[in-house]
């Protein structure tokens, strides 16, 4: 998903749940996952190359890092870990065929509103048909070069990231479904973390009302 998409999703999901400075730190960590170091050799950051087990383990690890950091009073580290978690969770919907499979269930009726998508339907998440886009470098790089997208799509296979992604409205007409699913999933991940926190740790994490040292 493009950086503007990640930023909009994160703000919409968390903007009223955490303080402005917490949100800013979460956003920075989220967006850093798309730097060059994060793009090479880290399928778990983006749910690429069918790395579902590895990516789900990564989500659990980042959640635990948030919990550990809060227990030690390191709130900025907790925010950063949660930011990395949200990036991966959001990319699940942009880089896999989850949305495609969800929409396929509604072919006999008017397409449902994007607001109706459920981001955690168990039989879809665990379906043997679940796939995520493969990155065929160096050819895949052409997809991101202005003027070369059509060429990249012509030479890359159907299971490539270039063909499968829901990264922006320009790359997929059903992008809004991935966007809404990612917003809902981000909120669910917040609720999951919240359920694991003591009242004092939650107060520290959300950083609302009382100023805490970051």
């Amino acid at each position: 998903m493009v950086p503007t998409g990640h930023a909009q999703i994160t703000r919409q999901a968390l903007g009223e749940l955490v303080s402005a400075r917490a949100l800013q730190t979460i956003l920075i960590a989220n967006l850093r996952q798309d730097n060059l170091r994060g793009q090479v050799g880290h399928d778990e950051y983006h749910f690429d190359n069918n790395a579902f087990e590895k990516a789900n383990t990564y989500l659990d690890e980042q959640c635990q890092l948030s919990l550990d950091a809060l227990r030690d009073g390191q709130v900025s580290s907790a925010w950063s870990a949660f930011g990395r978690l949200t990036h991966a969770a959001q990319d699940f919907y942009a880089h896999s065929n989850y949305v495609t499979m969800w929409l396929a269930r509604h072919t006999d009726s008017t397409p449902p509103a994007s607001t109706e998508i459920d981001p955690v339907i168990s039989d879809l998440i665990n379906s043997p048909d679940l796939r995520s886009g493969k990155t065929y470098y160096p050819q895949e790089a052409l997809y991101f070069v202005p003027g070369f997208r059509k060429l990249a799509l012509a030479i890359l296979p159907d299971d490539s990231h270039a063909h499968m992604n829901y990264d922006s409205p320009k790359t997929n007409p059903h992008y809004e479904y991935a966007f809404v699913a990612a917003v809902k999933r981000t909120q669910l991940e917040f609720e999951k973390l919240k359920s694991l926190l003591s009242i004092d740790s939650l107060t520290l994490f959300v950083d609302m009302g009382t100023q805490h040292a970051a």
Side-chain angles (χ1 to χ4, degrees):
M1 189 169 287
V2 297
T4 53
H6 279 294
Q8 290 169 355
I9 288 164
T10 307
R11 290 192 179 100
Q12 184 170 322
L14 303 175
E16 295 184 0
L17 301 176
V18 300
S19 72
R21 68 172 178 172
L23 182 61
Q24 183 63 17
T25 303
I26 290 168
L27 270 173
I28 289 171
N30 180 310
L31 297 176
R32 279 180 179 167
Q33 297 296 82
D34 273 338
N35 63 22
L36 183 59
R37 181 179 295 180
Q39 292 285 1
V40 179
H42 287 290
D43 294 336
E44 73 277 14
Y45 290 6
H46 317 286
F47 276 89
D48 287 334
N49 292 301
N50 297 317
F52 296 112
E53 182 176 355
K54 188 177 180 182
N56 283 318
T57 297
Y58 181 73
L59 295 183
D60 291 339
E61 290 172 348
Q62 296 308 306
C63 181
Q64 188 61 52
L65 284 174
S66 287
L67 294 171
D68 293 344
L70 287 168
R71 186 176 58 244
D72 295 336
Q74 301 296 320
V75 64
S76 184
S77 295
W79 291 334
S80 293
F82 190 69
R84 295 189 293 269
L85 183 160
T86 60
H87 183 100
Q90 292 163 7
D91 267 354
F92 173 74
Y93 304 98
H95 294 183
S96 77
N97 62 341
Y98 181 93
V99 171
T100 301
M101 291 195 297
W102 185 83
L103 285 169
R105 295 186 165 188
H106 302 85
T107 55
D108 295 331
S109 60
T110 302
S114 60
T115 53
E116 294 182 31
I117 191 167
D118 182 340
V120 288
I121 298 176
S122 179
D123 63 320
L124 291 184
I125 288 177
N126 297 301
S127 171
D129 296 322
L130 185 69
R131 299 285 185 273
S132 66
K134 295 182 179 180
T135 50
Y136 291 91
Y137 287 116
Q139 299 95 325
E140 194 89 33
L142 290 174
Y143 180 78
F144 301 99
V145 178
F148 284 87
R149 179 162 291 176
K150 287 185 178 180
L151 173 61
L153 290 171
I155 64 177
L156 286 165
D158 291 342
D159 66 347
S160 67
H161 171 84
H163 281 283
M164 289 183 62
N165 80 84
Y166 285 75
D167 281 342
S168 77
K170 293 181 179 180
T171 64
N172 196 295
H174 298 305
Y175 168 75
E176 187 65 20
Y177 292 92
F179 182 97
V180 173
V183 169
K184 291 182 178 181
R185 178 64 177 272
T186 301
Q187 292 172 333
L188 287 173
E189 293 295 340
F190 174 82
E191 291 300 321
K192 175 183 175 180
L193 180 66
K194 179 180 174 181
S195 72
L196 298 171
L197 296 175
S198 67
I199 293 176
D200 288 344
S201 291
L202 178 60
T203 300
L204 190 65
F205 186 82
V206 300
D207 192 43
M208 302 285 272
T210 302
Q211 291 299 305
H212 299 282

